[in-house]
Amino acid sequence: MDTPGTISCDDELRNWPAGEDQARAVQDRLRPHVRLDEPGPEPGFEGTVVGVDVAYDDARDVVAAAAVALDARTRAVVDEATAVGQISFPYVPGLLAFREIPTVLDALARLTRTPDLVVCDGYGLAHPRRFGLASHLGVLTGLPTIGVAKNPFTFHYALPGPDRGATSPLLDGTEEVGRALRTQRGVKPVFVSVGHRIDLDRACAQTLHLAAHYRLPETTRAADALCRRALADA
DNA sequence: GCGACAG
DNA sequence: ATCTTGTCGC
């Protein structure tokens, strides 16, 4: 049985859901473990921010994940790791975590130090059941996580102002589940949501600091490039 | 029933 | 996510 506030990552992996109904049940069971009461690290803190990403080859049934650790202040790459596996779940909107997490966990385990913050491609709280990829990865690892997505999924938003740093609420009805964040002037915004153990203001501030030169955070760009290389070499 | 739908 | 060349622009 689960102890309140504690889950076993190994047990969750052992009992990976076989179908969509089971997967949704897992999300409903794990959702109460998400912690939204911690402010999380400030941008530029002493430590590492890790970007994770995954690439697929459906024809070969191969998935490659990458984890790239950056110095949180300077954004210099300080560590990186990859992992290759078999595709464990089809892509179903709302169930992305079940497709990505097993291999991502492998890659994270191969880093030489524990991340202080993990940046995911996709969403955390901004999810039909408030438990997206970033929330799920946060609960399984216990690490602070955020989600940075390239499109608004099923949610609505007004375009933020044109300046870098401008934001607007990402809405599910009237509930703010994340924010549209302009990381570069005049460039389409990214969509930030909280995963685990960080608040939305800090999640946006971290994203802005990491996206100093491009639309997407350096963490995401580095992890994306690395997992593609890992897939090609697999 | 129809359309929308992170990666 | 992935299939994919050249091309317009700073």
Side-chain angles (χ1 to χ4, degrees), chain A residues 140-162:
Chain A
L140 293 192
T141 60
L143 301 171
T145 59
I146 67 175
V148 180
K150 303 175 204 64
N151 67 59
F153 199 11
T154 62
F155 306 107
H156 297 115
Y157 68 103
L159 279 174

Short mmCIF file of all heavy atoms in Angstrom, two decimals, chain A residues 140-162:
data_model
loop_
_atom_site.label_atom_id
_atom_site.label_comp_id
_atom_site.label_asym_id
_atom_site.label_seq_id
_atom_site.Cartn_x
_atom_site.Cartn_y
_atom_site.Cartn_z
N LEU A 140 7.19 10.39 -9.39
CA LEU A 140 8.00 9.16 -9.39
C LEU A 140 9.42 9.40 -8.90
O LEU A 140 10.03 8.53 -8.29
CB LEU A 140 8.04 8.53 -10.79
CG LEU A 140 6.73 7.96 -11.33
CD1 LEU A 140 7.00 7.12 -12.58
CD2 LEU A 140 6.02 7.12 -10.29
N THR A 141 9.97 10.57 -9.16
CA THR A 141 11.37 10.85 -8.78
C THR A 141 11.48 11.65 -7.49
O THR A 141 12.54 11.67 -6.87
CB THR A 141 12.09 11.65 -9.88
OG1 THR A 141 11.41 12.90 -10.06
CG2 THR A 141 12.13 10.88 -11.19
N GLY A 142 10.40 12.35 -7.13
CA GLY A 142 10.45 13.23 -5.98
C GLY A 142 11.11 14.56 -6.28
O GLY A 142 11.23 15.41 -5.40
N LEU A 143 11.52 14.77 -7.54
CA LEU A 143 12.25 15.99 -7.90
C LEU A 143 11.29 17.10 -8.32
O LEU A 143 10.20 16.83 -8.83
CB LEU A 143 13.19 15.70 -9.09
CG LEU A 143 14.25 14.63 -8.87
CD1 LEU A 143 14.94 14.31 -10.19
CD2 LEU A 143 15.26 15.08 -7.82
N PRO A 144 11.70 18.37 -8.14
CA PRO A 144 10.92 19.47 -8.71
C PRO A 144 10.90 19.35 -10.24
O PRO A 144 11.93 19.07 -10.85
CB PRO A 144 11.68 20.72 -8.27
CG PRO A 144 12.47 20.30 -7.07
CD PRO A 144 12.83 18.86 -7.34
N THR A 145 9.72 19.52 -10.85
CA THR A 145 9.61 19.42 -12.31
C THR A 145 8.70 20.51 -12.85
O THR A 145 7.78 20.98 -12.16
CB THR A 145 9.00 18.06 -12.74
OG1 THR A 145 7.69 17.93 -12.15
CG2 THR A 145 9.85 16.88 -12.31
N ILE A 146 8.95 20.90 -14.10
CA ILE A 146 8.04 21.80 -14.81
C ILE A 146 7.82 21.24 -16.22
O ILE A 146 8.61 20.44 -16.72
CB ILE A 146 8.58 23.25 -14.92
CG1 ILE A 146 9.82 23.31 -15.80
CG2 ILE A 146 8.89 23.81 -13.53
CD1 ILE A 146 10.32 24.74 -16.05
N GLY A 147 6.73 21.66 -16.84
CA GLY A 147 6.45 21.28 -18.21
C GLY A 147 6.48 22.51 -19.10
O GLY A 147 5.90 23.54 -18.74
N VAL A 148 7.17 22.41 -20.22
CA VAL A 148 7.19 23.49 -21.20
C VAL A 148 6.78 22.88 -22.54
O VAL A 148 7.50 22.05 -23.10
CB VAL A 148 8.59 24.13 -21.32
CG1 VAL A 148 8.57 25.24 -22.36
CG2 VAL A 148 9.07 24.65 -19.96
N ALA A 149 5.61 23.29 -23.03
CA ALA A 149 5.06 22.71 -24.26
C ALA A 149 5.08 23.74 -25.38
O ALA A 149 5.11 24.94 -25.16
CB ALA A 149 3.64 22.22 -24.01
N LYS A 150 5.05 23.23 -26.62
CA LYS A 150 5.12 24.10 -27.80
C LYS A 150 3.74 24.51 -28.29
O LYS A 150 3.62 25.39 -29.13
CB LYS A 150 5.87 23.38 -28.92
CG LYS A 150 7.27 22.94 -28.56
CD LYS A 150 7.87 22.13 -29.69
CE LYS A 150 8.97 21.20 -29.22
NZ LYS A 150 8.48 20.15 -28.31
N ASN A 151 2.70 23.85 -27.83
CA ASN A 151 1.35 24.25 -28.23
C ASN A 151 0.39 24.11 -27.06
O ASN A 151 0.71 23.46 -26.06
CB ASN A 151 0.90 23.45 -29.46
CG ASN A 151 0.73 22.00 -29.13
OD1 ASN A 151 -0.06 21.65 -28.27
ND2 ASN A 151 1.46 21.15 -29.83
N PRO A 152 -0.78 24.71 -27.15
CA PRO A 152 -1.68 24.82 -25.99
C PRO A 152 -2.54 23.60 -25.70
O PRO A 152 -3.40 23.67 -24.82
CB PRO A 152 -2.53 26.03 -26.36
CG PRO A 152 -2.58 26.00 -27.85
CD PRO A 152 -1.23 25.53 -28.29
N PHE A 153 -2.32 22.49 -26.39
CA PHE A 153 -3.09 21.27 -26.12
C PHE A 153 -4.58 21.61 -26.27
O PHE A 153 -4.95 22.19 -27.29
CB PHE A 153 -2.76 20.78 -24.72
CG PHE A 153 -3.12 19.33 -24.46
CD1 PHE A 153 -3.49 18.46 -25.47
CD2 PHE A 153 -3.06 18.82 -23.17
CE1 PHE A 153 -3.79 17.13 -25.21
CE2 PHE A 153 -3.36 17.48 -22.89
CZ PHE A 153 -3.73 16.66 -23.91
N THR A 154 -5.40 21.33 -25.32
CA THR A 154 -6.83 21.60 -25.47
C THR A 154 -7.24 22.90 -24.77
O THR A 154 -8.43 23.20 -24.66
CB THR A 154 -7.67 20.46 -24.84
OG1 THR A 154 -7.37 20.40 -23.45
CG2 THR A 154 -7.33 19.14 -25.49
N PHE A 155 -6.26 23.65 -24.29
CA PHE A 155 -6.58 24.81 -23.46
C PHE A 155 -6.66 26.10 -24.28
O PHE A 155 -6.29 26.14 -25.44
CB PHE A 155 -5.56 24.92 -22.33
CG PHE A 155 -5.46 23.65 -21.55
CD1 PHE A 155 -4.36 22.82 -21.66
CD2 PHE A 155 -6.52 23.26 -20.74
CE1 PHE A 155 -4.29 21.62 -20.95
CE2 PHE A 155 -6.46 22.06 -20.03
CZ PHE A 155 -5.34 21.24 -20.15
N HIS A 156 -7.17 27.14 -23.64
CA HIS A 156 -7.36 28.42 -24.32
C HIS A 156 -6.51 29.50 -23.68
O HIS A 156 -6.19 29.44 -22.49
CB HIS A 156 -8.85 28.82 -24.28
CG HIS A 156 -9.72 27.84 -25.00
ND1 HIS A 156 -10.67 27.07 -24.36
CD2 HIS A 156 -9.75 27.49 -26.31
CE1 HIS A 156 -11.27 26.29 -25.25
NE2 HIS A 156 -10.73 26.52 -26.44
N TYR A 157 -6.17 30.49 -24.48
CA TYR A 157 -5.34 31.59 -23.95
C TYR A 157 -5.47 32.78 -24.88
O TYR A 157 -5.83 32.64 -26.05
CB TYR A 157 -3.88 31.16 -23.86
CG TYR A 157 -3.22 30.96 -25.20
CD1 TYR A 157 -2.34 31.92 -25.72
CD2 TYR A 157 -3.49 29.84 -25.97
CE1 TYR A 157 -1.75 31.75 -26.96
CE2 TYR A 157 -2.91 29.67 -27.21
CZ TYR A 157 -2.04 30.62 -27.70
OH TYR A 157 -1.47 30.45 -28.93
N ALA A 158 -5.18 33.95 -24.32
CA ALA A 158 -5.06 35.15 -25.14
C ALA A 158 -3.57 35.35 -25.40
O ALA A 158 -2.74 35.02 -24.56
CB ALA A 158 -5.63 36.35 -24.39
N LEU A 159 -3.21 35.84 -26.57
CA LEU A 159 -1.80 36.04 -26.87
C LEU A 159 -1.19 37.02 -25.87
O LEU A 159 -1.75 38.09 -25.62
CB LEU A 159 -1.63 36.59 -28.29
CG LEU A 159 -1.67 35.57 -29.42
CD1 LEU A 159 -1.63 36.29 -30.77
CD2 LEU A 159 -0.52 34.58 -29.30
N PRO A 160 -0.05 36.65 -25.26
CA PRO A 160 0.62 37.61 -24.37
C PRO A 160 1.19 38.77 -25.19
O PRO A 160 1.29 38.69 -26.41
CB PRO A 160 1.73 36.77 -23.73
CG PRO A 160 1.95 35.62 -24.65
CD PRO A 160 0.64 35.37 -25.35
N GLY A 161 1.57 39.86 -24.49
CA GLY A 161 2.18 41.00 -25.18
C GLY A 161 3.41 40.57 -25.95
O GLY A 161 3.91 39.47 -25.77
N PRO A 162 3.91 41.43 -26.83
CA PRO A 162 4.99 41.05 -27.74
C PRO A 162 6.38 40.97 -27.08
O PRO A 162 7.29 40.38 -27.65
CB PRO A 162 4.98 42.16 -28.79
CG PRO A 162 4.41 43.34 -28.07
CD PRO A 162 3.41 42.79 -27.11
#
